Amino acid sequence: QQQVKQSPQSLIVQKGGISIINCAYENTAFDYFPWYQQFPGKGPALLIAIRPDVSEKKEGRFTISFNKSAKQFSLHIMDSQPGDSATYFCAAPEDSGYSTLTFGKGTMLLVSP
Amino acid sequence: EAQVTQNPRYLITVTGKKLTVTCSQNMNHEYMSWYRQDPGLGLRQIYYSMNVEVTDKGDVPEGYKVSRKEKRNFPLILESPSPNQTSLYFCASSGAGIASEQYFGPGTRLTVT
């Protein structure tokens, strides 16, 4: 089973700052890496995803950076806002049929006002 | 409104008493899955289904059963619950396997005493 190592476990950022969450994966055969965002009391929701034919994907204030040689991908939240306070999960496919995802253990982000 | 619904949302039960958590989606998705979320362990997949009558084990299937008789429903069955199955459970669905957006339900918090 693929391991997906996510860091840090928790993160406190001031409003307007940059939040950075990192993930490392093992299996290089697959090419879909999503990030999910979970607010307290809610189910996770897809935030942004990347396929590594590109090294970066940006959607609004959220950017995924992908480093295939290092087997790492990162989520950057620019101009972090208190409303971004949530738990973030990275994930990677477990098999070539994309039947399962292995999730990181999550990062709890708190953006202070 | 496109959604995944789970029932019940909260359940307290005793060891050994069979229970079923229902999951239903209204998006005509082929793929459905069950996860459990535990502090420090992130999201772990229990079972998944690629389509009607097709189910397979995830990472932590022991003690659980599923069935997929209809496209919209994917119930999770605990035949003899034990305290180590106390957890937060999420059902999810997607239209084309996990390589597309997974929609998560609101979660079911289960306590087994």
Side-chain angles (χ1 to χ4, degrees):
Chain A
Q1 180 188 348
Q2 162 152 238
Q3 299 291 319
V4 177
K5 295 182 180 178
Q6 183 173 345
S7 62
Q9 277 189 318
S10 62
L11 182 61
I12 300 175
V13 173
Q14 284 199 328
K15 179 181 175 181
I18 302 174
S19 304
I20 302 174
I21 305 171
N22 300 301
C23 274
Y25 63 98
E26 295 177 341
N27 194 327
T28 59
F30 314 129
D31 64 355
Y32 172 76
F33 298 95
W35 285 90
Y36 279 79
Q37 179 188 54
Q38 183 182 28
F39 293 107
K42 303 290 186 183
L46 180 67
L47 179 65
I48 187 172
I50 193 169
R51 294 187 186 272
D53 50 350
V54 296
S55 60
E56 185 175 284
K57 182 174 182 180
K58 185 175 181 180
E59 289 185 0
R61 296 182 295 106
F62 300 90
T63 299
I64 299 180
S65 298
F66 184 76
N67 186 332
K68 192 168 186 176
S69 61
K71 293 189 281 187
Q72 293 178 344
F73 56 110
S74 302
L75 176 68
H76 295 234
I77 306 174
M78 312 300 288
D79 186 27
S80 298
Q81 299 296 312
D84 298 330
S85 298
T87 299
Y88 293 82
F89 295 95
C90 61
E94 189 59 40
D95 59 76
S96 60
Y98 297 101
S99 62
T100 60
L101 279 177
T102 297
F103 284 85
K105 290 182 168 48
T107 297
M108 192 176 300
L109 171 65
L110 176 64
V111 181
S112 59
Chain B
E1 179 190 356
Q3 61 182 350
V4 177
T5 56
Q6 296 179 227
N7 283 292
R9 294 289 313 279
Y10 302 91
L11 180 60
I12 301 174
T13 190
V14 297
T15 299
K17 186 176 181 182
K18 181 179 179 179
L19 66 92
T20 299
V21 183
T22 64
C23 173
S24 183
Q25 49 92 7
N26 63 1
M27 295 167 280
N28 201 36
H29 284 168
E30 289 85 13
Y31 182 92
M32 297 186 75
S33 180
W34 276 102
Y35 296 89
R36 61 178 289 174
Q37 183 175 19
D38 302 289
L41 297 179
L43 289 158
R44 294 180 293 167
Q45 191 176 50
I46 303 170
Y47 270 94
Y48 65 94
S49 170
M50 299 293 278
N51 214 324
V52 175
E53 301 291 359
V54 180
T55 62
D56 210 342
K57 296 177 180 178
D59 299 325
V60 288
E62 293 78 20
Y64 305 94
K65 285 177 59 177
V66 293
S67 67
R68 186 91 182 275
K69 293 183 169 55
E70 305 166 280
K71 198 172 190 178
R72 64 182 294 132
N73 296 322
F74 191 44
L76 179 69
I77 303 158
L78 285 71
E79 298 245 338
S80 184
S82 62
N84 65 11
Q85 293 178 298
T86 292
S87 187
L88 179 58
Y89 291 87
F90 289 101
C91 180
S93 73
S94 71
I98 57 91
S100 62
E101 179 173 2
Q102 284 196 76
Y103 292 81
F104 282 79
T108 294
R109 185 165 293 282
L110 172 66
T111 302
V112 183
T113 61

